[in-house]
Structure formats: structure tokens, C-alpha cells
Amino acid sequence: ELSLAVATANNYLVDFAGIGGDFGIMQDFWQRTAPFIIACFAINFYLIWRGLNKGIEWFCKWAMPALIVCGIIILVRVLTLGAPAGAQEHVIYHQADAVPVAAVDAEAPRMVTAAGAQLVPMSVQGDVDSGVGFMWNPVGHRTVAALPVDADAGAEALPDGAAVQTAIAAGKAQRVVVEVGFWEALADPQTWLAAAGQIFFSLSVGLGVIVTYASYMRRDDDIALSSLTAASGNGFFEVALGGMLVIPAAFIFIPVGTIVDAGERASSLSLGFFALPGVFEHMPAGHFFGGLFFFLLFLAAVTSSLSMLQPAIAFLEEGLGLKRHASVTILGALTALGAAFVALISGNLVVLDHMDFWMANFAIFLLATVEVVLFAWVIGVDKGLRELSLGAEIPLPRWLPFLLKVVTPVFLIAIFVIWLGQQATKDKSNYFIALLENSTVQVTIGFMLLVGIFFALLVQVAVKRWQALEASGAVPVDPATSEHVAVEGGEA
Amino acid sequence: MSFGGWIIMCASVGGMTLLFGWCIWKVLSTPGSSEHLHGFEVETPDHED
């Protein structure tokens, strides 16, 4: 049973996003969803059209410290919740030989997996201690398909692996949450792929956004300390606030199977929207803090979406010579088309889930790997580090070149290859199998490919236009290096 | 929560908090380094120079 606030938030998000079925968003669309979508679009494109981003960056200079203060206040409330009304009672399974007999829950059935492993249930009360332990204890959790054992039938009646496989194929098996050991959890390449995808996404590496930020830096701006501050600030929000706040709160208020399933699909975004209303329900002025927290998160998201729109705007203006209103109109239309596709084909969030996986996990991982290889091996790590050290307020460690040249590329490529191998045997959340079997997923991938081809064609047009400008002498080129030379006192 | 959980939590949360705190202190204590606020203006700095 979910608490009233969590159930209300859950139902609202399901209706708001139309998760119940395709075109579900159209029900009460103009009253419920449209105002927020329109406001979000209007704010983003008005800011980027007017070039007012500096204003919002200034505003965020105050808003982001406010977000930290707000997060710490909510964190204090989470850590003092104890076992509130509406807290969940979880059943987590263990390998039969890994727990003492006395700890086994006699009420829940024992289970057998397709590999023939016997699992025994343990009950865990959803409270702060177990929630923080769920986040930080050196163990992992995953869901597996298993069959319940008939307690009265005796040991000889245990279903064997083949029987479980048949039951899974027939849809008769249950998915249960199993605790796995520290090393087994660490050895799962999905963990590393999701972690790398998360950190690349939140640091905007592999998206092209980092190129936007680089364009607005002066030659002697301090990149080293700025990027370390950005990375550590991101780590502080995710580890110190997110890890202490969202996951323990989720463990208190949400069934553990939902949490582990979200983690396995690397889309735990909705956990905060489900779990935090449960915290605000138990907080003085909970509506105020809830509203403030999500408003500040929205502001942080606006700065991110502006940085993602800006490279495309700059490309349309500089590559194709379009005026600001034309570039904003074209990009707005394209974004609206993509957003409408995700919003309308909304059943079970299949489209959003697969777009998120293929772009925000798969492609971002590949592109970040390409960026690292380009930086370390094509541009040259020494040349790159010379740029990095210009104006740097902190000394660069001696091991940085080795890290960038060897450790990072080898690590990323190894994780990717092992992960690809793992997909061959994975029965659940397998995005490759879904790509072969699910027509909605095929249309989604087709849509993303079409957008990619459209932009590739635009790049081709832009290159021809740029070459024509160079030939006409409008853009001076150094014949020795083929690079553009300084214009009117600016930098090359 | 197990003893190992406490160790990992303290190392992770403490490590990130210390690193972030040090970075903020370094930025604020270095003259001029805290006021390089760039928005996405139409002109990039190399055009403005």
C-alpha cells in the first residue's frame, strides 16, 4: 500500500505523461499537461531567441545555492523520518546458504530460479536505517524471474531449471528482488555503463554541449579549476544529497521491486517524483518546500536545455547564414516534433525509455569515448594539456596524461565490449531484442535516424557554404595549416 | 545498515563534500576567478575582442 501523497503523485505522473497507453496524454490535455509543456517551450525559446541566457545564469548563481540549502533541509527531514506512516514492508531474497535460518521470513514463499538456485525471503521494514543501508551497504540488488516452491510438497518436488524456463516463457514466473554480493554487483558491466552514462550526461560530456561552453571561454580562462568545481559540485548533488535523500526516501515509500527495476533500466528519474511527496507529506510547510525544490530543479534543467539548444542555433546561424528568428523557428519546430512524438506515443513510456537509452546511455557513451580518443591520440594529449594549463589556478597532476591516454580509453572500450557480450544472454530490459521485435521501438529508432540524417545533410550544406566563403576570401585561411587565422584582433 | 555501509557512505559523502568545499573556497579566494559568468550571447569572446 502506497501512502496517500505517494499514490497521488504516482497517479498524477501516470496521467500527466499518459503512461497508461498511447495518446493517453490527450485526456484532459488542455487542463493538465498543455500549460506546462507550452510554458516550458515558451521559456526556453524566448530566452534563446532574446539571448537572455546571461540573465538566467546570473539568477542561477543565487538559485543553485538556494537549491543546496533546500536540499539540506529536506535531507534533515528524511534522516529524522524513522518509520513513518505509509512506509513499505519489503521482501528481499537471498541465496539459501547466505542467511541464517532464523532470519528467513516464514510467511513468504521460497523461490527457485532458472539456474536452479534456491532463494529464501527476508522481510525488511522500510525505515531510515534500512533505506540508507539499501543505498550504501556493499551489496547489490537485481530482479530475477523465479518460481515459488510448494512448501508442503517436500524437497523432491522442487522445480528444476527447465521447469522455471518453461514457466518464464509462459509468463507464470514472478520477478523477485535478490541481494547479490559486493564483487558480483561490481562485476556487472551494466552498472559501469549506467554510471558512465550518468556522469557523462550530467557533466554534458559527449553531447556537444561542452563545445558550447568552450566557445564562450577566453583563452586564459581557468578551465582546470572550473571543471573540477563543476564536477565536484555535480558529485556533491548526486552523492551527498541524492544518495542520502532520494534513494533512502524511495526505499521508505516505494516497493523495492520498483526501485531496482528503475535502476536496471537506468531510468531512475521518476523515483524522486514518486518518493519525495512522501517526505513533504511529513514535513512542516511541506507544500512550500516541495514547490521550491521542484521549481529550483526546473531552473537547473532550463540552463541545461539552453546549453543543448545553443549548439544547434549557432550551427544554423553560422553554418547556414540564417537570422536569429529563422534559426529559432526551425529548431523550435524540430524540437516540437520530437516532443510531440514522445508525448503522444506514451504507453509505458516505451518511446521515452528507448530514446533515453539509445541517446543518453548508448550514444553518449560512444561519443564520449570518441572524444577521449580524439583528445588524447588525435589532437595530442600534450597539446591539450598545454591549453588546459593556460590560466589554471591549480597544478595539473603528473599522472593526468597517462590517465587520459591509456586508462580512460581502455576502461571505456572494455566496459562497452563486455556489456555488448552480456546483452546476448540478457532476458530482461534488453534493448537489442526490443529493437528487433517491437514496432514502436523500430519507429522510434527510425525517427532518431531521420533527425540525424537531416542534420548530416545540413552539415554538408554548411561545409560547402563555408568552403565558398573561404574561396572568396571572406574567411582568411592560413595556407600552411589550413586553419582560420585571427580576424580583426580576435583569436584564431 | 552494516559497518561496510557506514565506511562507504562516510568516504563517498565526506569525500565529495570536502572536494566541493575546497573547490568553492579556492574559487572564492582566488582574485577575479568568481566573476567569469558567461551566458550564450550572440557573440563569442573571440568576436568581441
Side-chain angles (χ1 to χ4, degrees):
Chain A
E1 283 290 303
L2 297 172
S3 77
L4 181 62
V6 176
T8 307
N10 195 340
N11 292 338
Y12 184 79
L13 191 62
V14 167
D15 292 341
F16 183 86
I19 296 173
D22 293 345
F23 299 97
I25 197 174
M26 295 312 293
Q27 193 180 358
D28 297 332
F29 177 70
W30 293 106
Q31 289 81 26
R32 184 167 46 214
T33 311
F36 293 100
I37 289 186
I38 292 170
C40 197
F41 252 81
I43 290 170
N44 271 287
F45 282 95
Y46 178 74
L47 286 171
I48 208 140
W49 173 57
R50 290 291 305 273
L52 293 177
N53 314 306
K54 196 166 184 174
I56 196 162
E57 294 289 339
W58 177 88
F59 188 61
C60 281
K61 200 171 87 169
W62 301 98
M64 291 308 103
L67 183 60
I68 293 183
V69 173
C70 193
I72 290 172
I73 292 171
I74 299 168
L75 174 64
V76 170
R77 186 62 195 109
V78 169
L79 295 181
T80 53
L81 270 176
Q88 297 287 308
E89 176 89 19
H90 305 289
V91 175
I92 296 177
Y93 281 81
H94 299 253
Q95 297 286 342
D97 54 358
V99 290
V101 176
V104 174
D105 180 356
E107 300 286 319
R110 292 168 178 249
M111 308 291 283
V112 177
T113 67
Q118 285 191 50
L119 303 173
V120 294
M122 279 179 70
S123 293
V124 184
Q125 171 65 40
D127 57 20
V128 170
D129 184 59
S130 59
V132 177
F134 178 77
M135 174 68 207
W136 294 107
N137 283 346
V139 292
H141 296 86
R142 63 175 60 139
T143 61
V144 295
L147 270 187
V149 176
D150 183 354
D152 301 326
E156 68 278 5
L158 281 179
D160 60 10
V164 180
Q165 286 284 20
T166 310
I168 292 171
K172 290 179 180 169
Q174 297 175 24
R175 288 208 82 88
V176 294
V177 174
V178 181
E179 186 173 296
V180 296
F182 180 64
W183 297 111
E184 191 181 340
L186 272 191
D188 185 353
Q190 177 72 37
T191 306
W192 295 93
L193 187 82
Q198 165 67 21
I199 201 71
F200 290 149
F201 183 79
S202 52
L203 291 179
S204 304
V205 177
L207 287 167
V209 174
I210 211 77
V211 179
T212 315
Y213 291 137
S215 304
Y216 291 95
M217 302 208 83
R218 292 174 197 281
R219 180 167 281 272
D220 59 349
D221 271 349
D222 182 357
I223 300 170
L225 181 57
S226 301
S227 51
L228 186 66
T229 307
S232 64
N234 176 67
F236 175 77
F237 272 97
E238 288 184 348
V239 176
L241 289 182
M244 293 296 291
L245 199 159
V246 176
I247 302 298
F251 193 79
I252 295 172
F253 292 110
I254 297 176
V256 67
T258 308
I259 305 171
V260 177
D261 187 59
E264 285 175 343
R265 288 189 291 114
S267 68
S268 50
L269 191 68
S270 57
L271 285 184
F273 292 110
F274 289 156
L276 290 179
V279 180
F280 299 133
E281 187 185 24
H282 292 89
M283 227 173 142
H287 285 101
F288 170 75
F289 283 110
L292 183 65
F293 185 75
F294 285 120
F295 174 69
L296 293 172
L297 271 187
F298 170 74
L299 273 184
V302 168
T303 63
S304 299
S305 62
L306 288 175
S307 68
M308 284 185 232
L309 291 170
Q310 182 62 25
I313 291 283
F315 165 72
L316 291 171
E317 289 181 7
E318 292 183 19
L320 303 178
L322 297 177
K323 297 286 182 200
R324 174 55 60 113
H325 61 270
S327 61
V328 170
T329 305
I330 289 175
L331 193 62
L334 259 179
T335 313
L337 191 65
F341 183 59
V342 172
L344 291 174
I345 315 296
S346 55
N348 286 327
L349 296 184
V350 169
V351 172
L352 180 64
D353 188 28
H354 282 262
M355 273 196 182
D356 183 48
F357 170 77
W358 288 108
M359 292 313 298
N361 276 283
F362 187 85
I364 209 172
F365 189 96
L366 271 185
L367 289 171
T369 307
V370 169
E371 277 184 8
V372 168
V373 171
L374 273 178
F375 180 82
W377 291 93
V378 179
I379 295 173
V381 75
D382 295 331
K383 192 177 173 187
L385 291 180
R386 266 202 306 278
E387 290 286 330
L388 180 57
S389 60
L390 275 177
E393 297 288 348
I394 52 174
L396 302 178
R398 286 173 181 274
W399 42 261
L400 197 57
F402 178 72
L403 185 81
L404 288 169
K405 208 165 180 177
V406 180
V407 178
T408 311
V410 168
F411 175 77
L412 292 176
I413 292 168
I415 290 292
F416 189 68
V417 171
I418 296 169
W419 175 81
L420 277 180
Q422 188 199 40
Q423 296 307 297
T425 58
K426 198 175 178 193
D427 67 321
K428 181 169 176 279
S429 302
N430 191 318
Y431 289 89
F432 289 95
I433 291 176
L435 180 57
L436 293 174
E437 295 178 349
N438 188 328
S439 56
T440 306
V441 174
Q442 289 162 356
V443 172
T444 306
I445 303 295
F447 179 81
M448 288 194 287
L449 284 176
L450 276 179
V451 173
I453 291 168
F454 176 68
F455 268 94
L457 290 173
L458 287 185
V459 167
Q460 201 178 16
V461 173
V463 167
K464 281 184 181 164
R465 180 176 173 275
W466 199 254
Q467 284 170 338
L469 283 173
E470 284 177 354
S472 67
V475 180
V477 176
D478 181 347
T481 62
S482 300
E483 289 180 356
H484 303 137
V485 296
V487 184
E488 296 168 8
E491 293 164 13
Chain B
M1 188 169 170
S2 68
F3 180 69
W6 276 103
I7 299 280
I8 292 177
M9 185 183 82
C10 291
S12 304
V13 175
M16 286 318 307
T17 307
L18 280 177
L19 179 62
F20 184 45
W22 179 82
C23 285
I24 293 293
W25 168 79
K26 188 75 183 167
V27 167
L28 295 178
S29 65
T30 303
S33 71
S34 62
E35 281 302 329
H36 285 217
L37 206 60
H38 301 300
F40 303 136
E41 297 88 357
V42 178
E43 299 286 307
T44 51
D46 57 321
H47 283 95
E48 291 169 0
D49 285 341

